[in-house]
Amino acid sequence: MLDKTFDPAAVEPRLYALWEASGAFAARPDSDAPPFVIMIPPPNVTGSLHIGHALTMTVQDTLTRWRRMQGRDALWQPGTDHAGIATQMVVERLLASQGQDRRAMGREAFLAHVWEWKAQSGGSITRQLRRLGASLDWPRERFTMDEGLSKAVLEVFVTLHKQGLIYRDRRLVNWDPKLQTAISDLEVESREVKGSLWTLRYPIEGEPGRFIQVATTRPETMLGDTAVAVHPEDPRFRDLVGRRAVLPLVGRPIPIVADTYSDPEKGTGAVKITPAHDFNDFEVGKRHGLPMPSVLDAEARVALAEIEADLRAVEGIAEPDFVRGLAGQDRFAARKAVLAKLEELGLLEKTEPHTHQVPHGDRGGVPLEPRLTWQWYCDAKTLAQPAIEAVESGRTEFVPKQWENTFFAWMRDIQPWCVSRQLWWGHRIPAWHAPDGSIFVERTEEEALAAARAMFGADVPLRRDEDVLDTWFSSALWPFSTLGWPEKTPELAKYYPGSVLVTGFDIIFFWVARMMMMGQHFMGEVPFRQVYIHGLVRDEKGQKMSKTKGNVMDPLELIDAYGADALRFTICALTGPGRDVKLGRKRVEDHRAFVTKIWNAARFLEMNGIAAPQGFDPASATSPLARWILDGANRAVAACTAALEAYRFDEYAAAAYAFVWGSFCDWFIELGKPVLNGPDGAEKDEVKGAAGHVFGTILRLLHPAMPFVTEELWHRFGYGPEGSLIRTAWPDSVPVPDAEAARAELDWVVALVGEVRAARSEMNVPPSVTVPLLLQGAAPATLDRAGRWIDAIRRLARATEVRPLDGAPPRGVAQVVVGEVTVMLPLAEVIDLGAERARLAKARGTAEGEARKLSAKLGNADFVSRAAEEVVEETRERLAAAEAEMARLDAALARIAG
């Protein structure tokens, strides 16, 4: 006997352990079944399950379980990413709490601590994914720094270098002064900062008393200025182009160049050019062949080595001794000192408040510096071309399709990819430096020494490069490195390319594009056929979740409170193409009620002796009720299958919910109660058989999204052994005799009862009050139908009788239309119709007022342009709700006659 309530905490771990132990999640490379492959976006080994993970993993698991039930050989490849910066920071903090320092202990000792931490504490997220019900093929779990993947990384780096596609160059990078490493754009967080805009006066060489003014937010970098740029068509500066200004404090003459980068409409129209400390200035510097001296070191302190020779004593302009005194000062301390000295020299024109975006490191939390350093680069432009062509030709398809435009925009304007990081944790770059500066890139130190010996004619000492690779480099190889490449394995032959990649739009460039580039280059084929892009998870108001707003939702806490099935089904119900997911606790609570509804329906079936049917043949069904619910199940199967094929998880959930809660629980069970409570016989056996058959279909339909409650009920009702639903076939349509006639009959009964209930509710008719239903304009067939279902109509619609209307309608009726019939409820003796009209009219006026106010707000262009996107969207939703309420109340008022 089923317990009164479903207990997720007791059921979930037991069933998951059973699935995992039985190999239910396992791919089978030796099988003839067609493959279905999803590569998990490898979560950071330092990570814990957050709501974004819950979204993407639920979507992937829903697809995987569904395809597995369809008979596909499903591989959902698990694994974690070594997460260079994040992991190094975690271990450094741990060591600092013990009074130890990374640099003091040295690289090898530090890395030993990292591996020890990874073994003991890393990968908790994989345990948490099990809580969500993720059916990953765990024995195949990979780690981006395991032996096999490290071998793949080494092979790719060396191959690309020998092909000229990886090289060393001195370029600007995003530099984190706290972590002292280059970081990727994904790790850059723009923050709005209230600062100042300073206008400085640069004297014109040879023309005492004349200045060119430049505005800057970074006066401390002026020490590294090598030009002033003006727009070539700006008449204010035409006579100055080609001349020189004198750099204040330093005294170095710098050219005034014409460049379209300078905007005549912004600031003074002239901009200082500091190529080593600004990305735009770097490009200007390259165009004009300017020197690029760095004046800040790795810790963002003033370093003067590259400008020492340029310090000149120019009276009233330059202060060489002052500049030398800045050496070693923090950038912000130097800023204050520079401004004070400029003001003293009369070269600070003005200071204005200025709010602007300042890039910060998302891990280190400090403002970043553009820094000119030697780094390793990948020729992304060359690698991008086949990836672009693959999407253009349709060999890889984005869903929704509009994300292809984002992909193209990034890929067609792609810059060299900086693949090196100044960290210790990661794949160390396989490059060895000779004393004369020569570099040997080989798979092993022995090969590097041999290459050096061949070049120099003798053995020379080599020093290995200190840098490691960007984490995204190893992640880019994930679709084939996890399958055993560079070895030719059965897995590689069968499971590459993958079927679909599921991910968020925020890493299309960082991960999706790079997998496309590497897959095409090394495998000669795209890594996946489709890329399904989902939105972000926001709160119920559409606001981005953040700790500062206090609206972050913890999926593990939600699972503890409501069960994994409720959370998973909620995510499916809210996940549609091209839109963000608005998730609130109330939504999960509502879908826990759906789990409860299914459980209660199961208890009803159990109490009525209904279980997995033995020998029931849907094709032999004769009763309209049995044929109607069998036909409804067929339609639900078709709708759910089509929705999943199109990645419309919201439509899949909606179709399943409507059929299970509405058709099966609310109508079939209620309409079937008289039969089930009646005498034994053929009709009762048929209704019980249909109920058992359809309930099994429901469990299979819901399993991809709600695996636990469905699996538990599957074996409890005798459909199969415990833990077997996961391997059971996805339902197909079954033959139903004369389905259209059964649908017409029962749909009419459902519509009649539903409309009458709605009218009673709107008129505030107490549930205890019963009234006759008068049918106007009913065809003989309709009257016959009403007669056949009179018992159900009386019970469910709270009706005393159903009869045709003779003569004129009585006064004081509420009326509804069902098909060709106008159904009238005489209410004059039951409720105060005048008071009800007044109540409905007042409610309608309130809704109209709200709609008018919201419409005016949305009609205000200033509001739409200035308000936050989520506020505008919420206002639109409130307007739609108000308009829908007006329509409902108009219909209710129209129902009252006389």
Side-chain angles (χ1 to χ4, degrees):
M1 189 73 182
L2 292 177
D3 294 338
K4 189 173 182 180
T5 58
F6 176 63
D7 182 5
V11 170
E12 291 172 2
R14 171 172 53 79
L15 286 179
Y16 196 92
L18 179 65
W19 287 326
E20 192 171 355
S22 68
F25 307 153
R28 293 172 173 79
D30 57 348
S31 78
D32 295 329
F36 176 76
V37 183
I38 293 184
M39 292 285 165
I40 191 177
N44 288 355
V45 69
T46 59
S48 60
L49 192 72
H50 59 61
I51 202 68
H53 289 135
L55 166 60
T56 192
M57 299 305 175
T58 293
V59 166
Q60 289 177 71
D61 194 44
T62 298
L63 288 172
T64 301
R65 286 176 179 272
W66 168 58
R67 291 299 193 188
R68 197 182 280 127
M69 294 175 78
Q70 286 188 320
R72 303 279 285 273
D73 176 22
L75 169 62
W76 186 14
Q77 174 65 52
T80 51
D81 190 285
H82 65 277
I85 290 179
T87 304
Q88 183 157 319
M89 283 184 66
V90 166
V91 178
E92 281 198 66
R93 280 198 298 264
L94 180 64
L95 291 171
S97 70
Q98 300 167 359
Q100 299 184 74
D101 175 74
R102 164 173 69 97
R103 298 189 184 279
M105 69 173 53
R107 186 172 194 140
E108 295 307 314
F110 175 74
L111 291 178
H113 278 284
V114 181
W115 281 109
E116 182 183 352
W117 175 87
K118 193 265 177 185
Q120 293 178 359
S121 306
S124 64
I125 192 167
T126 60
R127 295 188 290 275
Q128 293 166 348
L129 284 170
R130 289 169 165 87
R131 293 282 317 278
L132 188 66
S135 60
L136 290 143
D137 191 349
W138 292 113
R140 297 182 181 275
E141 184 177 352
R142 303 303 300 269
F143 177 53
T144 49
M145 282 185 61
D146 68 28
E147 184 179 352
L149 268 64
S150 294
K151 182 179 179 182
V153 168
L154 186 69
E155 184 68 26
V156 166
F157 188 94
V158 173
T159 302
L160 290 176
H161 182 266
K162 292 186 184 303
Q163 293 171 344
L165 295 172
I166 279 182
Y167 56 92
R168 207 159 177 260
D169 196 7
R170 190 168 183 253
R171 297 172 58 90
L172 277 190
V173 294
N174 295 307
W175 184 265
D176 190 317
K178 182 177 179 181
L179 303 176
Q180 295 186 47
T181 179
I183 65 173
S184 77
D185 290 341
L186 190 65
E187 292 155 333
V188 177
E189 183 181 279
S190 283
R191 298 183 190 174
E192 188 172 88
V193 173
K194 292 181 179 179
S196 297
L197 183 68
W198 293 278
T199 301
L200 314 181
R201 306 167 78 203
Y202 285 21
I204 303 300
E205 185 183 47
E207 197 170 342
R210 187 177 183 190
F211 302 89
I212 186 167
Q213 295 184 359
V214 299
T216 181
T217 60
R218 301 289 312 278
E220 68 277 13
T221 65
M222 67 178 291
L223 305 177
D225 286 0
T226 55
V228 173
V230 298
H231 195 278
E233 297 177 7
D234 193 329
R236 294 173 293 178
F237 307 111
R238 191 164 291 145
D239 69 317
L240 290 178
V241 174
R243 296 182 62 183
R244 300 196 299 183
V246 180
L247 180 60
L249 305 184
V250 176
R252 178 175 67 241
I254 58 176
I256 299 171
V257 300
D259 197 284
T260 53
Y261 167 61
S262 179
D263 185 349
E265 304 297 321
K266 284 187 177 180
T268 65
V271 291
K272 72 186 199 68
I273 302 300
T274 322
H277 296 282
D278 183 276
F279 287 99
N280 291 313
D281 293 6
F282 179 73
E283 297 301 325
V284 175
K286 286 201 299 183
R287 286 195 289 273
H288 295 275
L290 301 174
M292 300 185 177
S294 294
V295 293
L296 295 175
D297 66 11
E299 295 180 73
R301 299 174 305 190
V302 175
L304 303 176
E306 295 186 31
I307 66 166
E308 178 65 39
D310 292 333
L311 292 177
R312 304 177 188 193
V314 182
E315 190 175 349
I317 300 172
E319 295 278 345
D321 290 339
F322 166 78
V323 173
R324 290 188 182 97
L326 294 173
Q329 287 196 29
D330 173 77
R331 53 186 161 166
F332 299 118
R335 176 183 298 179
K336 290 179 182 178
V338 165
L339 289 167
K341 181 56 71 174
L342 289 171
E343 187 165 26
E344 180 186 316
L345 296 172
L347 298 176
L348 177 58
E349 176 70 21
K350 61 180 176 179
T351 302
E352 303 170 275
H354 182 65
T355 300
H356 59 133
Q357 296 290 325
V358 175
H360 286 64
D362 68 345
R363 303 275 182 192
V366 300
L368 300 175
E369 285 292 337
R371 186 161 187 256
L372 192 59
T373 61
W374 283 100
Q375 301 281 350
W376 290 91
Y377 287 90
C378 182
D379 181 359
K381 191 166 189 65
T382 297
L383 292 173
Q385 302 315 305
I388 293 169
E389 187 278 329
V391 177
E392 287 175 335
S393 65
R395 286 186 294 124
T396 291
E397 173 193 10
F398 278 77
V399 181
K401 193 171 179 63
Q402 70 258 26
W403 288 110
E404 291 180 4
N405 295 328
T406 302
F407 175 82
F408 289 139
W410 277 331
M411 295 292 272
R412 288 169 180 158
D413 191 35
I414 199 166
Q415 300 299 307
W417 171 17
C418 177
V419 297
S420 48
R421 297 291 181 266
Q422 289 63 56
L423 301 169
W424 286 354
W425 173 244
H427 294 99
R428 195 165 177 182
I429 288 175
W432 284 263
H433 299 251
D436 72 343
S438 300
I439 300 176
F440 301 92
V441 173
E442 301 292 346
R443 291 169 180 80
T444 65
E445 186 174 10
E446 289 72 24
E447 290 181 15
L449 287 166
R453 190 181 309 115
M455 178 175 172
F456 295 114
D459 287 337
V460 296
L462 298 180
R463 174 184 58 83
R464 185 162 186 180
D465 201 293
E466 292 289 323
D467 290 353
V468 300
L469 283 165
D470 174 14
T471 298
W472 294 104
F473 191 90
S474 49
S475 297
L477 318 182
W478 191 252
F480 55 92
S481 64
T482 52
L483 299 176
W485 187 92
E487 305 299 327
K488 293 183 177 180
T489 64
E491 286 82 0
L492 196 64
K494 183 169 187 179
Y495 300 124
Y496 189 96
S499 308
V500 60
L501 179 77
V502 177
T503 188
F505 65 82
D506 51 336
I507 56 173
I508 290 177
F509 177 70
F510 294 97
W511 190 46
V512 179
R514 289 167 181 175
M515 285 190 289
M516 293 279 290
M517 292 190 285
M518 293 300 190
Q520 290 270 99
H521 193 77
F522 286 95
M523 296 295 295
E525 179 58 282
V526 296
F528 23 72
R529 299 300 184 192
Q530 291 183 307
V531 181
Y532 172 70
I533 301 293
H534 58 70
L536 299 177
V537 185
R538 297 180 179 270
D539 69 13
E540 63 268 29
K541 295 180 180 177
Q543 298 182 82
K544 190 173 181 179
M545 291 189 183
S546 71
K547 291 179 181 177
T548 54
K549 290 180 181 175
N551 61 350
V552 173
M553 302 189 74
D554 179 356
L556 296 170
E557 190 274 329
L558 291 172
I559 291 171
D560 287 340
Y562 305 113
D565 290 325
L567 176 60
R568 290 168 58 109
F569 194 82
T570 302
I571 287 170
C572 286
L574 299 176
T575 302
R579 70 164 191 255
D580 288 341
V581 174
K582 294 181 182 178
L583 181 67
R585 193 179 183 91
K586 178 67 165 57
R587 300 265 194 165
V588 186
E589 189 176 350
D590 289 345
H591 286 118
R592 181 183 61 179
F594 184 41
V595 176
T596 301
K597 186 80 170 178
I598 296 164
W599 190 260
N600 288 342
R603 280 169 49 79
F604 173 83
L605 298 180
E606 186 182 51
M607 286 186 288
N608 281 274
I610 296 169
Q614 303 297 319
F616 174 74
D617 180 10
S620 65
T622 58
S623 73
L625 182 60
R627 287 184 288 129
W628 176 74
I629 199 61
L630 290 165
D631 173 64
N634 283 347
R635 292 155 72 86
V637 168
C640 289
T641 304
L644 289 174
E645 291 281 4
Y647 302 106
R648 290 300 306 253
F649 300 94
D650 53 345
E651 292 183 359
Y652 156 67
Y657 185 95
F659 176 69
V660 175
W661 191 304
S663 299
F664 188 78
C665 296
D666 280 358
W667 293 109
F668 172 73
I669 286 178
E670 288 301 323
L671 292 169
K673 279 179 180 177
V675 179
L676 295 173
N677 292 332
D680 291 344
E683 184 182 14
K684 187 173 186 177
D685 290 343
E686 186 172 285
V687 168
K688 289 175 70 173
H693 174 89
V694 171
F695 192 61
T697 299
I698 285 170
L699 297 180
R700 287 184 286 163
L701 270 187
L702 288 173
H703 180 75
M706 304 172 77
F708 292 108
V709 69
T710 53
E711 185 74 86
E712 180 72 358
L713 291 171
W714 182 259
H715 81 88
R716 295 287 287 268
F717 271 70
Y719 293 102
E722 188 173 21
S724 64
L725 174 56
I726 191 172
R727 298 187 188 89
T728 303
W730 182 252
D732 283 324
S733 293
V734 297
V736 178
D738 208 3
E740 194 170 333
R743 193 184 316 139
E745 176 127 335
L746 270 298
D747 283 357
W748 182 86
V749 175
V750 168
L752 173 70
V753 173
E755 291 289 344
V756 170
R757 283 175 167 176
R760 289 174 60 99
S761 174
E762 286 163 356
M763 298 298 113
N764 277 340
V765 178
S768 58
V769 173
T770 56
V771 296
L773 302 182
L774 310 177
L775 308 187
Q776 184 181 56
T782 300
L783 292 173
D784 288 345
R785 183 181 290 155
R788 285 194 296 274
W789 293 95
I790 186 62
D791 290 341
I793 294 170
R794 281 180 180 144
R795 180 167 50 89
L796 300 176
R798 310 297 295 145
T800 57
E801 60 178 328
V802 181
R803 58 179 170 83
L805 175 66
D806 296 323
R811 292 183 60 79
V813 297
Q815 51 193 24
V816 298
V817 177
V818 181
E820 88 284 6
V821 181
T822 300
V823 182
M824 300 185 181
L825 289 73
L827 299 176
E829 304 300 321
V830 176
I831 59 172
D832 185 337
L833 289 172
E836 284 306 313
R837 275 193 211 94
R839 182 182 66 80
L840 293 169
K842 182 179 179 182
R844 205 267 184 205
T846 300
E848 184 178 16
E850 175 75 357
R852 193 183 303 116
K853 181 177 71 174
L854 295 169
S855 184
K857 206 171 187 179
L858 290 169
N860 183 339
D862 196 45
F863 167 76
V864 174
S865 63
R866 289 175 178 270
E869 182 184 339
E870 60 265 20
V871 173
V872 176
E873 182 60 28
E874 184 188 7
T875 305
R876 290 195 180 106
E877 290 175 359
R878 287 172 57 200
L879 174 60
E883 289 173 340
E885 179 65 359
M886 286 165 59
R888 184 189 73 79
L889 292 165
D890 283 339
L893 283 163
R895 286 179 177 144
I896 303 176

